[in-house]
Amino acid sequence: MEQRRGQGGGAGGSEGEGAGGAAAADTPPPQTLSYGKDSLQGIDLWVPEGAGKAPLVLFVHGGGWKRGSKNNAMGRAMPAHMLEQGYAFASIDYRLVPAATVEQQAADVAAALAHLLKRADALGIDRSRVVLTGHSAGAHLVALVGTDERYLKKAGLSFADIDGVMPNDGAAYDVARQVAQSGGRMGGVYIEAFGTDPARQQALSPITHAAGPNAPAFLLIHVQRPDGVAQAKALAEALERAGTAVEIGSFPGDGLRGHMEINRKLGQPDYPATPVMDAWLKAVFGQTA
Protein backbone atom coordinates (compact mmCIF):
# COMPACT_ATOMS: atom_id res chain seq x y z
CA MET A 1 0.00 0.00 0.00
CA GLU A 2 1.41 3.33 -1.02
CA GLN A 3 0.91 5.75 1.82
CA ARG A 4 1.50 9.47 1.63
CA ARG A 5 2.15 10.62 5.18
CA GLY A 6 2.31 14.05 6.71
CA GLN A 7 3.87 14.97 10.02
CA GLY A 8 2.75 12.91 12.99
CA GLY A 9 3.31 12.69 16.69
CA GLY A 10 1.59 12.98 20.01
CA ALA A 11 -1.21 11.17 21.74
CA GLY A 12 -4.84 11.46 20.79
CA GLY A 13 -8.08 11.65 22.66
CA SER A 14 -11.67 10.53 22.36
CA GLU A 15 -13.74 11.41 19.35
CA GLY A 16 -15.42 14.81 19.29
CA GLU A 17 -17.01 16.95 16.65
CA GLY A 18 -15.66 20.16 15.20
CA ALA A 19 -17.61 23.14 13.94
CA GLY A 20 -15.93 25.11 11.23
CA GLY A 21 -18.54 27.75 10.56
CA ALA A 22 -20.03 28.86 7.28
CA ALA A 23 -18.05 29.79 4.19
CA ALA A 24 -15.48 32.55 4.45
CA ALA A 25 -16.72 36.05 3.86
CA ASP A 26 -14.91 36.41 0.52
CA THR A 27 -16.47 33.22 -0.89
CA PRO A 28 -19.38 33.82 -3.26
CA PRO A 29 -22.76 32.69 -1.95
CA PRO A 30 -23.74 29.13 -2.87
CA GLN A 31 -26.67 27.87 -4.81
CA THR A 32 -29.07 26.18 -2.38
CA LEU A 33 -30.80 23.03 -3.59
CA SER A 34 -33.16 20.47 -2.08
CA TYR A 35 -32.74 16.77 -2.76
CA GLY A 36 -35.71 15.56 -0.70
CA LYS A 37 -38.84 16.64 1.14
CA ASP A 38 -37.26 16.92 4.59
CA SER A 39 -35.95 20.35 5.56
CA LEU A 40 -32.55 18.78 6.31
CA GLN A 41 -32.18 17.35 2.81
CA GLY A 42 -30.41 20.39 1.43
CA ILE A 43 -27.27 21.18 -0.54
CA ASP A 44 -25.07 24.26 -0.77
CA LEU A 45 -23.26 24.24 -4.10
CA TRP A 46 -20.40 26.39 -5.37
CA VAL A 47 -19.32 26.11 -9.01
CA PRO A 48 -16.32 27.97 -10.47
CA GLU A 49 -17.17 30.48 -13.16
CA GLY A 50 -15.90 29.98 -16.69
CA ALA A 51 -14.50 26.53 -16.01
CA GLY A 52 -16.81 24.56 -18.29
CA LYS A 53 -17.80 21.40 -16.47
CA ALA A 54 -15.98 21.22 -13.15
CA PRO A 55 -15.06 18.10 -11.13
CA LEU A 56 -17.26 17.73 -8.05
CA VAL A 57 -16.14 17.41 -4.42
CA LEU A 58 -19.08 16.62 -2.12
CA PHE A 59 -18.63 17.20 1.63
CA VAL A 60 -20.59 15.52 4.47
CA HIS A 61 -20.43 17.22 7.88
CA GLY A 62 -19.83 15.61 11.26
CA GLY A 63 -21.71 15.90 14.52
CA GLY A 64 -21.95 12.45 16.09
CA TRP A 65 -24.71 11.52 13.63
CA LYS A 66 -27.14 13.56 15.74
CA ARG A 67 -26.16 17.22 15.32
CA GLY A 68 -24.23 19.62 13.12
CA SER A 69 -25.11 21.08 9.75
CA LYS A 70 -23.61 22.34 6.52
CA ASN A 71 -23.75 25.81 8.08
CA ASN A 72 -21.83 25.17 11.30
CA ALA A 73 -19.71 22.03 10.81
CA MET A 74 -17.86 22.75 7.59
CA GLY A 75 -14.36 24.17 7.37
CA ARG A 76 -14.53 27.78 6.24
CA ALA A 77 -11.61 27.44 3.84
CA MET A 78 -12.94 24.59 1.73
CA PRO A 79 -15.40 26.29 -0.67
CA ALA A 80 -12.97 29.01 -1.76
CA HIS A 81 -10.06 26.57 -1.96
CA MET A 82 -12.01 24.12 -4.10
CA LEU A 83 -13.09 26.95 -6.42
CA GLU A 84 -9.47 28.04 -6.74
CA GLN A 85 -8.55 24.50 -7.80
CA GLY A 86 -11.27 24.58 -10.46
CA TYR A 87 -13.62 22.20 -8.63
CA ALA A 88 -17.29 22.45 -7.82
CA PHE A 89 -17.91 22.01 -4.09
CA ALA A 90 -21.12 20.77 -2.50
CA SER A 91 -21.84 20.67 1.23
CA ILE A 92 -24.92 18.72 2.27
CA ASP A 93 -27.25 18.40 5.20
CA TYR A 94 -28.80 15.03 6.05
CA ARG A 95 -31.44 13.78 8.46
CA LEU A 96 -30.18 13.27 12.01
CA VAL A 97 -30.40 10.63 14.72
CA PRO A 98 -32.73 9.87 16.47
CA ALA A 99 -35.38 11.07 14.00
CA ALA A 100 -33.50 9.19 11.27
CA THR A 101 -31.26 6.14 11.25
CA VAL A 102 -27.65 5.93 10.14
CA GLU A 103 -28.89 3.79 7.25
CA GLN A 104 -31.10 6.70 6.18
CA GLN A 105 -28.18 9.09 6.55
CA ALA A 106 -26.07 7.03 4.17
CA ALA A 107 -29.04 6.94 1.80
CA ASP A 108 -29.21 10.74 2.04
CA VAL A 109 -25.57 11.04 0.98
CA ALA A 110 -26.26 8.90 -2.07
CA ALA A 111 -29.49 10.76 -2.84
CA ALA A 112 -27.77 14.15 -2.64
CA LEU A 113 -25.10 12.97 -5.05
CA ALA A 114 -27.71 11.56 -7.42
CA HIS A 115 -29.60 14.87 -7.34
CA LEU A 116 -26.49 16.76 -8.40
CA LEU A 117 -25.42 14.30 -11.07
CA LYS A 118 -28.86 14.21 -12.67
CA ARG A 119 -28.55 17.97 -13.11
CA ALA A 120 -24.85 18.00 -13.86
CA ASP A 121 -25.06 19.68 -17.26
CA ALA A 122 -27.26 22.52 -16.03
CA LEU A 123 -25.14 23.01 -12.89
CA GLY A 124 -21.77 23.00 -14.66
CA ILE A 125 -20.59 19.75 -13.05
CA ASP A 126 -18.49 17.09 -14.72
CA ARG A 127 -20.37 14.00 -13.63
CA SER A 128 -17.46 11.78 -14.72
CA ARG A 129 -15.18 13.21 -12.00
CA VAL A 130 -16.58 12.94 -8.47
CA VAL A 131 -15.05 12.66 -5.00
CA LEU A 132 -16.87 12.23 -1.68
CA THR A 133 -15.38 13.59 1.53
CA GLY A 134 -16.61 14.07 5.06
CA HIS A 135 -15.39 14.79 8.57
CA SER A 136 -15.88 12.61 11.66
CA ALA A 137 -19.40 11.12 11.44
CA GLY A 138 -19.35 12.38 7.86
CA ALA A 139 -16.11 10.44 7.33
CA HIS A 140 -17.90 7.28 8.41
CA LEU A 141 -20.84 7.99 6.10
CA VAL A 142 -18.74 8.59 2.98
CA ALA A 143 -16.61 5.54 3.77
CA LEU A 144 -19.79 3.46 4.12
CA VAL A 145 -21.21 4.74 0.82
CA GLY A 146 -17.81 4.13 -0.78
CA THR A 147 -17.66 0.48 0.32
CA ASP A 148 -21.32 -0.68 0.46
CA GLU A 149 -22.73 -0.10 -3.03
CA ARG A 150 -26.32 -0.72 -1.95
CA TYR A 151 -26.80 2.92 -0.96
CA LEU A 152 -25.68 4.18 -4.37
CA LYS A 153 -27.72 1.58 -6.22
CA LYS A 154 -30.89 2.63 -4.40
CA ALA A 155 -30.23 6.15 -5.68
CA GLY A 156 -29.70 4.95 -9.25
CA LEU A 157 -25.90 5.18 -9.06
CA SER A 158 -22.96 2.81 -8.66
CA PHE A 159 -19.26 2.89 -7.80
CA ALA A 160 -18.70 3.82 -11.45
CA ASP A 161 -20.11 7.26 -10.55
CA ILE A 162 -17.42 7.93 -7.91
CA ASP A 163 -13.70 8.42 -8.52
CA GLY A 164 -12.56 8.62 -4.92
CA VAL A 165 -13.45 8.95 -1.24
CA MET A 166 -11.56 11.04 1.33
CA PRO A 167 -12.72 10.33 4.90
CA ASN A 168 -11.38 12.95 7.33
CA ASP A 169 -10.51 11.83 10.88
CA GLY A 170 -13.21 9.22 11.33
CA ALA A 171 -13.16 6.68 14.14
CA ALA A 172 -16.07 4.38 13.30
CA TYR A 173 -14.93 2.40 10.30
CA ASP A 174 -15.23 -0.70 12.51
CA VAL A 175 -18.28 0.16 14.61
CA ALA A 176 -18.20 -2.83 16.96
CA ARG A 177 -14.55 -2.21 17.82
CA GLN A 178 -15.23 1.44 18.50
CA VAL A 179 -18.28 0.74 20.64
CA ALA A 180 -16.33 -1.84 22.67
CA GLN A 181 -13.49 0.54 23.49
CA SER A 182 -15.48 3.74 24.00
CA GLY A 183 -16.93 4.70 27.33
CA GLY A 184 -18.67 7.65 28.91
CA ARG A 185 -20.27 10.24 26.68
CA MET A 186 -18.78 8.95 23.41
CA GLY A 187 -19.87 5.41 24.16
CA GLY A 188 -23.40 6.72 24.46
CA VAL A 189 -23.07 8.56 21.14
CA TYR A 190 -22.11 5.36 19.34
CA ILE A 191 -24.85 3.31 20.98
CA GLU A 192 -27.45 5.96 20.10
CA ALA A 193 -26.32 5.92 16.47
CA PHE A 194 -25.62 2.21 15.94
CA GLY A 195 -27.50 0.40 18.67
CA THR A 196 -26.33 -2.77 20.39
CA ASP A 197 -27.16 -5.40 17.77
CA PRO A 198 -23.83 -6.85 16.56
CA ALA A 199 -25.26 -7.63 13.11
CA ARG A 200 -26.37 -4.03 12.60
CA GLN A 201 -23.05 -2.68 13.85
CA GLN A 202 -21.27 -4.95 11.39
CA ALA A 203 -23.54 -3.92 8.51
CA LEU A 204 -22.83 -0.24 9.20
CA SER A 205 -19.04 -0.72 9.35
CA PRO A 206 -17.13 0.26 6.21
CA ILE A 207 -14.46 -2.31 7.11
CA THR A 208 -17.09 -5.07 6.73
CA HIS A 209 -17.64 -4.14 3.09
CA ALA A 210 -14.06 -3.20 2.17
CA ALA A 211 -13.35 -6.67 0.79
CA GLY A 212 -14.79 -5.21 -2.40
CA PRO A 213 -16.05 -4.01 -4.66
CA ASN A 214 -15.31 -0.45 -3.55
CA ALA A 215 -15.01 3.05 -4.92
CA PRO A 216 -11.77 3.17 -6.94
CA ALA A 217 -9.53 5.22 -4.62
CA PHE A 218 -9.37 6.33 -0.99
CA LEU A 219 -7.36 8.91 0.93
CA LEU A 220 -7.73 8.44 4.70
CA ILE A 221 -6.53 11.51 6.60
CA HIS A 222 -6.32 11.78 10.36
CA VAL A 223 -4.69 13.46 13.35
CA GLN A 224 -3.11 11.70 16.31
CA ARG A 225 -6.13 10.25 18.11
CA PRO A 226 -5.33 6.60 18.92
CA ASP A 227 -8.76 5.32 17.95
CA GLY A 228 -8.81 7.32 14.72
CA VAL A 229 -5.27 6.21 13.82
CA ALA A 230 -6.05 2.55 14.49
CA GLN A 231 -9.33 2.64 12.61
CA ALA A 232 -7.80 4.33 9.57
CA LYS A 233 -4.96 1.80 9.52
CA ALA A 234 -7.35 -1.14 9.73
CA LEU A 235 -9.61 0.22 6.98
CA ALA A 236 -6.62 0.96 4.76
CA GLU A 237 -5.34 -2.58 5.18
CA ALA A 238 -8.77 -4.02 4.32
CA LEU A 239 -9.03 -1.84 1.23
CA GLU A 240 -5.52 -2.80 0.17
CA ARG A 241 -6.33 -6.50 0.48
CA ALA A 242 -9.24 -5.90 -1.90
CA GLY A 243 -6.94 -4.26 -4.44
CA THR A 244 -8.41 -0.79 -3.89
CA ALA A 245 -6.00 2.14 -4.24
CA VAL A 246 -5.56 3.68 -0.79
CA GLU A 247 -3.31 6.27 0.81
CA ILE A 248 -3.04 7.54 4.38
CA GLY A 249 -2.23 11.07 5.46
CA SER A 250 -1.22 11.40 9.12
CA PHE A 251 -1.00 14.91 10.58
CA PRO A 252 -0.29 16.67 13.88
CA GLY A 253 -3.10 17.25 16.33
CA ASP A 254 -4.18 15.69 19.61
CA GLY A 255 -7.61 14.82 20.92
CA LEU A 256 -10.69 16.91 20.31
CA ARG A 257 -8.62 20.00 19.47
CA GLY A 258 -6.79 18.20 16.68
CA HIS A 259 -10.01 16.58 15.50
CA MET A 260 -11.63 19.99 15.13
CA GLU A 261 -8.53 21.61 13.65
CA ILE A 262 -8.22 19.25 10.68
CA ASN A 263 -11.78 20.12 9.73
CA ARG A 264 -11.41 23.84 10.37
CA LYS A 265 -8.04 24.30 8.66
CA LEU A 266 -8.24 21.90 5.72
CA GLY A 267 -8.07 24.02 2.59
CA GLN A 268 -5.81 26.64 4.13
CA PRO A 269 -2.57 26.70 2.07
CA ASP A 270 -0.29 26.53 5.12
CA TYR A 271 -2.09 23.58 6.75
CA PRO A 272 -0.06 20.38 6.19
CA ALA A 273 -3.00 18.28 5.01
CA THR A 274 -4.01 20.72 2.26
CA PRO A 275 -1.23 19.97 -0.26
CA VAL A 276 -1.67 16.24 0.37
CA MET A 277 -5.37 16.55 -0.41
CA ASP A 278 -4.66 18.70 -3.46
CA ALA A 279 -2.15 16.25 -4.94
CA TRP A 280 -4.48 13.32 -4.39
CA LEU A 281 -7.45 15.13 -5.95
CA LYS A 282 -5.39 16.04 -9.01
CA ALA A 283 -4.33 12.43 -9.44
CA VAL A 284 -7.87 11.09 -8.95
CA PHE A 285 -9.32 13.64 -11.36
CA GLY A 286 -6.61 12.89 -13.92
CA GLN A 287 -5.08 16.36 -13.83
CA THR A 288 -1.38 16.83 -14.53
CA ALA A 289 -1.00 20.55 -13.73
Side-chain angles (χ1 to χ4, degrees):
M1 176 176 59
E2 180 182 359
Q3 296 179 334
R4 179 188 292 118
R5 296 190 178 275
Q7 302 171 12
S14 62
E15 181 172 11
E17 301 296 340
D26 58 351
T27 306
Q31 302 176 58
T32 301
L33 309 170
S34 296
Y35 66 90
K37 296 180 180 179
D38 194 283
S39 61
L40 288 177
Q41 293 174 313
I43 305 169
D44 285 346
L45 174 67
W46 292 262
V47 180
E49 295 183 3
K53 293 182 180 180
L56 174 65
V57 177
L58 185 149
F59 174 80
V60 182
H61 70 79
W65 300 271
K66 65 178 181 179
R67 59 184 181 273
S69 78
K70 60 184 173 57
N71 297 320
N72 65 22
M74 179 188 73
R76 292 171 58 87
M78 283 292 281
H81 183 72
M82 292 294 106
L83 291 176
E84 289 171 0
Q85 307 307 304
Y87 307 146
F89 181 74
S91 181
I92 74 165
D93 274 336
Y94 52 90
R95 292 169 291 172
L96 300 173
V97 170
T101 65
V102 174
E103 291 88 342
Q104 289 174 316
Q105 293 176 337
D108 279 357
V109 173
L113 178 61
H115 184 88
L116 291 170
L117 296 188
K118 287 176 183 177
R119 295 156 180 79
D121 289 343
L123 294 172
I125 292 170
D126 181 352
R127 66 160 295 137
S128 70
R129 292 190 288 175
V130 174
V131 161
L132 303 181
T133 185
H135 175 250
S136 198
H140 163 265
L141 291 172
V142 298
L144 183 61
V145 171
T147 53
D148 186 348
E149 198 173 22
R150 291 177 295 177
Y151 296 102
L152 291 169
K153 287 183 174 179
K154 288 179 181 178
L157 303 175
S158 72
F159 287 146
D161 294 295
I162 299 175
D163 295 281
V165 181
M166 187 184 77
N168 181 353
D169 210 48
Y173 307 133
D174 182 340
V175 173
R177 177 179 177 180
Q178 189 66 3
V179 169
Q181 69 182 32
S182 297
R185 183 182 67 84
M186 283 312 302
V189 169
Y190 291 118
I191 292 298
E192 184 176 5
F194 299 105
T196 57
D197 177 14
R200 181 171 180 245
Q201 292 178 358
Q202 184 178 36
L204 289 172
S205 297
I207 201 166
T208 299
H209 308 284
N214 302 303
F218 282 73
L219 172 62
L220 307 176
I221 61 174
H222 62 77
V223 294
Q224 305 311 304
R225 300 183 302 139
D227 51 354
V229 172
Q231 291 256 336
K233 181 176 184 291
L235 179 57
E237 290 172 349
L239 291 167
E240 183 192 28
R241 287 193 295 270
T244 301
V246 57
E247 299 179 28
I248 291 180
S250 178
F251 302 98
D254 298 336
L256 176 59
R257 178 174 293 182
H259 180 64
M260 295 174 64
E261 183 177 70
I262 196 171
N263 184 46
R264 185 176 65 251
K265 291 189 174 182
L266 189 64
Q268 295 180 7
D270 59 349
Y271 184 65
T274 298
V276 173
M277 172 183 70
D278 289 348
W280 181 80
L281 286 173
K282 285 182 179 180
V284 167
F285 287 145
Q287 298 174 320
T288 57

